[in-house]
Amino acid sequence: LQFAGKNRVELEKVLTHYANDSLKLEAAKFLIRNMPGHYSYADTAAINSYAVAMDSVIESMANEKDFNIIRDSIDQLAKRMGIGTLQKVQDCQIITADYLIQNIDTAFYDWQQGPWAKHICFEDFCEWILPYKVEELQPLDNWRSRLKDFCSDRLSDLDYCDQLRNSPLAAARVLNGNLADSFRPVTGLSVHYANVPMESRAHLPFGGCNDYANMAATILRSHGIPVIVDFTPQWAKRSLGHAWNVLFSDDGRMIPFGGICSRLGELHKFEEKMPKVYRYTYSSNPELVELNKSENYVPTVFRNIFIHDVTKETIQCCDVTLKIDKTRIGESRYAYLFVFDNHDWIPVAFGKIK
């Protein structure tokens, strides 16, 4: 609340609004407690103008087969419009009480009254359904209500089958399949600034795995389906990393899938080896908060305090103890684990020196 400055009154309105509803009050406290560090663009009008201009560029290049040319044109557009220089501001300093209350109420309805999230507990609800955004710099708009009809063809057909009606797996399979059919995704390319309203983002004829994972998570959560985004900073045996989605199924399974890019039920990237797996969360990671406060050098991946290590949920793990030559590390309290990507050494894990 102190960190919110002049916007503190908006956050206090939310707490007052839920004073007589203990569970929603706890949800509001969870969001507010973890809000510092989450950012949005200060000038939403500029982002909306950029989205309209981006749509025009994509439409004018509809017959262009070389997606690199489309990407470069959009990046040049962003440069001309100064998107890269737009001020970013902490969410807690601009978010309104009305927006937060609307998100909390809608998320609770989807959790408690909807067909696909009743099986998750409150703690999981706070990460898998409740957050008012899926990724940083996502526009603070009414995406939950606006996207409920987005690519939802054949979703209502599940109502005719008792076995499928309340199945989050069946619903996610239909929605993600619709998205795949609609987008016909081409991976490997991404524009520098894709944080625009989802309808404009959907017009891009290409995207990276992060783009598609975030889009799928946003759209599926708008239907009350518990979905989150996991990633590995770097594959163990080749270049690049990867991001994907995970569905919290009603039978307790965590089912990985490629948002928009693959069908649920298929083994996801089974041929790859990953050294570590992290999950993008709304809540901050105390270990990363401490790391960033105490160290002069922190690899880029670990400057994001909103990730948690979930490697043990994905692959078999073991603990490794290494002797450290303290004469070589100076005042550092942490050591990092790197893997080689055939060109550079890439950090994938950290550990406190004891």
Side-chain angles (χ1 to χ4, degrees):
L1 293 176
Q2 292 174 349
F3 197 74
K6 295 179 180 178
N7 201 51
R8 175 176 181 147
V9 63
E10 291 294 311
L11 302 182
E12 289 178 333
K13 284 180 185 177
V14 178
L15 300 176
T16 301
H17 180 80
Y18 293 122
N20 297 320
D21 189 326
S22 60
L23 201 57
K24 286 186 177 179
L25 179 61
E26 284 305 309
K29 288 181 178 180
F30 170 82
L31 292 176
I32 293 171
R33 183 187 311 123
N34 290 286
M35 206 173 284
H38 290 291
Y39 284 84
S40 294
Y41 285 115
D43 191 347
T44 55
I47 292 298
N48 290 333
S49 297
Y50 167 60
V52 172
M54 187 176 77
D55 287 346
S56 297
V57 169
I58 294 170
E59 185 178 356
S60 68
M61 305 182 76
N63 297 321
E64 178 58 62
K65 304 301 182 183
D66 188 343
F67 290 155
N68 289 281
I69 295 177
I70 301 176
R71 177 202 59 192
D72 293 345
S73 298
I74 295 172
D75 285 343
Q76 290 167 10
L77 170 70
K79 186 175 181 179
R80 289 196 303 272
M81 298 185 71
I83 301 303
T85 61
L86 286 180
Q87 180 186 2
K88 301 176 182 69
V89 62
Q90 297 263 4
D91 287 353
C92 61
Q93 295 173 349
I94 62 166
I95 202 164
T96 66
D98 288 344
Y99 179 74
L100 211 50
I101 289 169
Q102 179 195 41
N103 271 272
I104 293 171
D105 287 346
T106 305
F108 264 82
Y109 181 86
D110 289 340
W111 175 39
Q112 297 176 332
Q113 307 298 324
W116 299 309
K118 291 186 178 75
H119 59 287
I120 65 176
C121 66
F122 176 74
E123 287 73 19
D124 290 326
F125 161 76
C126 286
E127 291 288 6
W128 293 71
I129 297 288
L130 175 65
Y132 56 86
K133 66 196 308 183
V134 172
E135 61 180 322
E136 291 310 308
L137 302 178
Q138 179 178 336
L140 300 181
D141 56 19
N142 60 336
W143 58 273
R144 286 190 195 274
S145 56
R146 206 180 64 247
L147 296 175
K148 283 192 182 295
D149 294 326
F150 191 80
C151 285
S152 60
D153 299 345
R154 303 187 301 277
L155 191 61
S156 60
D157 292 350
L158 299 178
D159 292 338
Y160 297 104
C161 177
D162 290 340
Q163 187 175 358
L164 301 180
R165 183 181 298 120
N166 297 317
S167 168
L169 175 57
R173 183 176 290 155
V174 169
L175 276 172
N176 201 56
N178 289 345
L179 293 172
D181 293 340
S182 175
F183 282 77
R184 300 188 183 281
V186 175
T187 59
L189 292 177
S190 185
V191 297
H192 284 305
Y193 304 104
N195 300 85
V196 294
M198 193 59 64
E199 291 84 349
S200 294
R201 198 167 179 177
H203 294 157
L204 283 166
F206 51 79
C209 55
N210 268 299
D211 298 321
Y212 290 133
N214 288 329
M215 292 169 73
T218 303
I219 293 166
L220 268 64
R221 280 190 192 177
S222 74
H223 289 78
I225 300 172
V227 169
I228 212 159
V229 179
D230 284 1
F231 74 98
T232 184
Q234 170 65 47
W235 293 119
K237 289 194 169 185
R238 68 173 179 88
S239 61
L240 303 177
H242 183 54
W244 62 93
N245 295 105
V246 178
L247 170 74
F248 197 141
S249 182
D250 56 347
D251 59 5
R253 288 184 297 160
M254 304 293 177
I255 302 176
F257 67 98
I260 302 179
C261 297
S262 70
R263 306 286 178 176
L264 272 90
E266 300 174 350
L267 290 175
H268 185 66
K269 297 291 185 181
F270 64 92
E271 74 283 4
E272 298 285 4
K273 289 186 179 296
M274 55 187 76
K276 294 292 286 185
V277 182
Y278 295 93
R279 176 162 295 160
Y280 289 110
T281 58
Y282 179 81
S283 62
S284 60
N285 183 338
E287 291 182 339
L288 285 172
V289 172
E290 181 183 352
L291 170 67
N292 280 271
K293 285 182 177 180
S294 65
E295 294 296 288
N296 292 323
Y297 166 73
V298 178
T300 302
V301 65
F302 299 125
R303 294 174 198 167
N304 180 0
I305 62 172
F306 301 106
I307 61 173
H308 284 73
D309 188 342
V310 292
T311 311
K312 65 181 180 181
E313 294 183 17
T314 310
I315 57 178
Q316 186 175 356
C317 298
C318 63
D319 292 332
V320 178
T321 302
L322 299 173
K323 282 192 174 184
I324 301 294
D325 181 357
K326 293 186 178 181
T327 63
R328 300 181 61 187
I329 62 173
E331 298 299 319
S332 178
R333 297 171 55 204
Y334 289 85
Y336 298 101
L337 179 69
F338 288 69
V339 294
F340 191 55
D341 74 344
N342 298 326
H343 187 268
D344 295 309
W345 289 96
I346 309 297
V348 295
F350 66 94
K352 184 176 287 187
I353 299 170
K354 299 180 181 180

